[in-house]
Amino acid sequence: MKTIEHWINGSSAPGSGSATQPVFNPATGAEQARVVLGGSADVDAAVQAATTAFATWSESSLTQRTQVMFAFRQLLVEHEEELGRIISAEHGKTVDDARGEIVRGREVVEFACGLGDVLKGSFSDQVSRGVDVHDFRQPLGVVAGITPFNFPAMVPLWMHPIALATGNTFILKPSERDPSAADFVAGLYQRAGLPDGVFNVVHGGKDAVDAILTHPGIEAVSFVGSTPIAKYVHEQATSHGKRVQALGGAKNHAVVLPDAELEFAADHITAGAYGSAGERCMAVSVAVAVGDAADGLVEVLTRKADEIKVGPGNAPGTDMGPLVTKAAQERVENAVGTAAAQGATVVVDGRGVKVDGHEDGFFTGPSLLDHVTTEMDAYKEELFGPVLAIVRVDSLDEAIDLVNANPYGNGTALFTGSGEAARRFQRRIKVGMIGINVPVPVPMSYYSFGGWKDSLIGDHPIHGPEGIRFYTRPKVVTTRWPRPAQQVAAGFTFPTSD
């Protein structure tokens, strides 16, 4: 049985404890490895290694740091297939989907390669007689990331390339459900020339998380996960003096107007709802059908859901793999039953799907629920599975009010041929990321990712310009270089620019 260990100070480390947890293959239901579960001693060892490494890494030139990023980016390209299969085997998503998340994560590496322009400070000449002012940004120190199971490569890649390129050292605590990608990435960093101790991985559960949130040697924490845990992370880490990025859950709506091309809209909503088995924080989980669009939209969505091929993620032609755990499978299928009991129409029922040769896998098929209301659990809860709820409304304004009343504000989309409707929607909607005829509006790496309301706890979105600001702090320097014979009078009044 394979054992997945920590990565501390440039090498695999068994850790200080004996506790482990099984890692399953979701397609077969079989245990395929065990991951060590670290605690405060392992976090402390990683902090010590990262603190030592920070002394030299933070003083390295920007050119040295970006050279490592260029080499790391090339290794991600060369090992994309291998890393994709590692992710698929532990998460369950298709290999193509896993490769897609690597590509989107690699875009952040590419952004980090070009930080020279972004990190340029400003200079003001002669703000007072013989006085100049300039500013620049410096790294924080040791920073940490706590990441979810659904994107074991991409979400960490939203964090550590920017943190490292700006001169910080990093400790990653990945999900214990699919931990192997983190160690694989650590090995690629080492091959890219990253010094030992600059990037570390500590596996574990709540004990490791709490150790990160309270350790005095960690300056900042980045987190992506559910809203309740995001609130806990933000509260605990800020109370211990840390800067925090905490991205929470979502309930993403796709609004379809009667003027939308229904085949196009349904095709993209189907992919947005059922891709990666719905285990995405940007998944479309609610389709809001406006007026006359409803019946036609449901008809096309039904046909497309029935065409989805469910199977193991490494099998050619598979559209949707299994859920990550047996518990996730049971939770999603119970939610479909609850929706039916509360009055929703189960148009497509994904419960009880069996895949030949993989009867013990954690599979469930796509489910489509019609006539869902905002009082039903299927609307209120983040199901994090392949369930799409249809809510019917009479107008665009009613749809906007419905989305705005939802406690989450991560992503939303509008399908329409009307520029006026699109402009009204994007200006009035209280959501952080908006797609117009785009179902999953994840921004490019040079923009920042983050929602509103309960989808972002605190004030710090992730990657892009906000990522630069999060992992650095500014300094403003006021200088005077008087001539040796020049007398500069000092005064006891508050200094001015006169």
Side-chain angles (χ1 to χ4, degrees):
M1 181 65 64
K2 175 185 175 183
T3 300
I4 302 164
E5 298 184 331
H6 312 300
W7 180 276
I8 298 175
N9 203 27
S11 63
S12 182
S16 61
S18 59
T20 62
Q21 178 174 309
V23 177
F24 293 95
N25 182 330
T28 65
E31 180 180 339
Q32 59 180 335
R34 298 197 71 86
V35 59
V36 298
L37 299 179
S40 58
D42 303 299
V43 169
D44 188 62
V47 171
Q48 290 184 37
T51 301
T52 300
F54 178 74
T56 52
W57 180 246
S58 62
E59 291 297 323
S60 62
S61 70
L62 181 59
T63 299
Q64 289 174 302
R65 299 198 296 270
T66 55
Q67 283 176 342
V68 171
M69 287 297 141
F70 276 111
F72 176 62
R73 184 256 178 209
Q74 183 59 34
L75 289 168
L76 282 174
V77 172
E78 293 172 3
H79 294 276
E80 182 181 294
E81 181 72 18
E82 183 180 1
L83 180 54
R85 292 190 177 278
I86 289 171
I87 293 169
S88 177
E90 291 185 351
H91 175 279
K93 66 177 66 178
T94 67
V95 174
D96 283 346
D97 191 21
R99 292 174 66 242
E101 76 160 276
I102 296 165
V103 171
R104 291 307 305 267
R106 194 175 73 222
E107 291 170 358
V108 180
V109 182
E110 292 163 357
F111 176 72
C113 289
L115 287 192
D117 184 65
V118 181
L119 286 176
K120 286 190 302 188
S122 59
F123 183 90
S124 296
D125 174 70
Q126 197 76 352
V127 298
S128 185
R129 287 189 298 267
V131 177
D132 307 322
V133 177
H134 72 278
D135 67 352
F136 61 99
R137 305 190 72 88
Q138 287 187 310
L140 303 179
V142 180
V143 299
I146 301 168
T147 57
F149 75 88
N150 57 326
F151 289 101
M154 185 182 74
V155 170
L157 283 166
W158 286 355
M159 303 173 183
H160 51 73
I162 296 177
L164 300 180
T166 52
N168 300 278
T169 53
F170 199 89
I171 299 169
L172 174 62
K173 206 301 288 182
S175 171
E176 60 274 28
R177 299 179 191 177
D178 45 9
S180 292
D183 286 11
F184 188 87
V185 167
L188 295 186
Y189 264 132
Q190 187 175 62
R191 290 175 58 185
L194 192 71
D196 293 347
V198 175
F199 182 79
N200 306 273
V201 179
V202 176
H203 298 291
K206 188 175 184 300
D207 288 346
V209 169
D210 286 340
I212 288 170
L213 301 182
T214 60
H215 198 292
I218 295 175
E219 299 291 336
V221 176
S222 301
F223 172 84
V224 175
S226 69
T227 292
I229 306 302
K231 290 180 177 179
Y232 174 80
V233 166
H234 188 269
E235 178 183 351
Q236 289 295 311
T238 54
S239 70
H240 286 82
K242 304 184 192 313
R243 193 178 286 191
V244 181
Q245 285 175 325
L247 279 65
K251 197 70 179 177
N252 304 314
H253 302 69
V255 178
V256 182
L257 296 187
D259 71 343
E261 207 289 303
L262 291 186
E263 193 75 21
F264 174 87
D267 197 34
H268 286 270
I269 290 172
T270 298
Y274 303 125
S276 199
E279 293 174 319
R280 298 171 175 166
C281 67
M282 290 293 283
V284 177
S285 56
V286 180
V288 183
V290 178
D292 295 339
D295 289 342
L297 179 65
V298 172
E299 179 182 346
V300 183
L301 285 172
T302 301
R303 169 166 50 85
K304 292 186 179 297
D306 286 335
E307 293 171 353
I308 293 172
K309 182 178 179 181
V310 179
N314 61 357
T318 294
D319 298 311
M320 194 178 86
L323 294 172
V324 68
T325 62
K326 183 70 174 177
Q329 177 197 35
E330 293 172 348
R331 174 178 49 76
V332 169
E333 296 197 347
N334 288 339
V336 175
T338 299
Q342 291 179 341
T345 303
V346 182
V347 182
V348 179
D349 192 341
R351 293 173 292 180
V353 166
K354 294 295 182 184
V355 176
D356 290 343
H358 296 78
E359 286 77 12
D360 294 326
F362 309 140
F363 293 96
T364 189
S367 290
L368 180 65
L369 311 175
D370 195 7
H371 301 104
V372 173
T373 69
T374 57
E375 291 77 30
M376 294 180 183
D377 291 346
Y379 178 80
K380 294 188 292 185
E381 297 177 1
E382 185 183 21
L383 301 182
F384 226 63
V387 181
L388 177 61
I390 309 293
V391 178
R392 298 175 179 234
V393 300
D394 295 327
S395 68
L396 173 59
D397 288 338
E398 185 180 349
I400 291 172
D401 291 341
L402 182 145
V403 175
N404 287 347
N406 193 277
Y408 295 109
N410 208 43
T412 190
L414 176 69
F415 287 86
T416 182
S418 168
E420 184 281 324
R423 190 172 190 275
R424 185 177 3 146
F425 181 81
Q426 67 193 31
R427 288 184 62 81
R428 284 190 52 200
I429 210 76
K430 297 177 181 177
V431 173
M433 293 172 286
I434 301 163
I436 305 299
N437 298 314
V438 174
V440 184
V442 177
M444 295 298 291
S445 62
Y446 36 85
Y447 287 85
S448 296
F449 181 105
W452 286 16
K453 300 183 284 188
D454 279 355
S455 295
L456 177 66
I457 312 304
D459 302 317
H460 296 286
I462 205 165
H463 71 59
E466 295 290 341
I468 300 294
R469 285 190 280 272
F470 180 75
Y471 288 120
T472 60
R473 55 168 62 98
K475 280 183 176 177
V476 180
V477 182
T478 304
T479 60
R480 173 190 283 133
W481 297 101
R483 296 177 183 176
Q486 181 182 3
Q487 295 296 318
V488 179
F492 287 92
T493 59
F494 193 81
T496 68
S497 59
D498 292 341

